[in-house]
Amino acid sequence: VVEAANGAEALRVLEDEAERSGEFDLVLTDILMPEVSGLELLSKVVGGDQWEHLPVIVMSAAENQQKISQAMNGGAAEFLPKP
């Protein structure tokens, strides 16, 4: 398990790990994050050649149907509501 404080840091971690030939099994992200949102992170992971194989699970405490739809239509493998 590797943690990132925000979406920008998550992207840096993914890039650093890719350079070291590391491999992640999935990305778990909140929709609402500073710097780079979870939806932006989802877009970059799903749209990037080096990470397109990674499933992205998006979660949020806000049950905003529009955001859930955006995540699922954007390529998220699953949406998890936070309690």
Side-chain angles (χ1 to χ4, degrees):
V1 175
V2 177
E3 292 183 33
N6 58 57
E9 184 178 333
L11 285 171
R12 284 192 297 274
V13 168
L14 285 168
E15 289 166 355
D16 290 348
E17 199 64 23
E19 288 177 10
R20 289 182 274 178
S21 298
E23 195 67 32
F24 287 104
D25 294 318
L26 66 89
V27 173
L28 177 63
T29 183
D30 197 325
I31 286 179
L32 301 175
M33 292 192 303
E35 296 188 41
V36 174
S37 75
L39 293 176
E40 291 173 283
L41 179 61
L42 169 66
S43 175
K44 290 181 185 294
V45 171
V46 172
D49 292 337
Q50 62 195 46
W51 305 310
E52 65 185 355
H53 66 283
L54 280 177
V56 179
I57 299 172
V58 178
M59 60 183 174
S60 181
E63 292 192 28
N64 179 325
Q65 193 59 43
Q66 181 181 4
K67 296 288 185 189
I68 294 169
S69 293
Q70 280 182 290
M72 297 307 294
N73 292 334
E78 188 63 62
F79 177 83
L80 297 175
K82 290 178 10 182

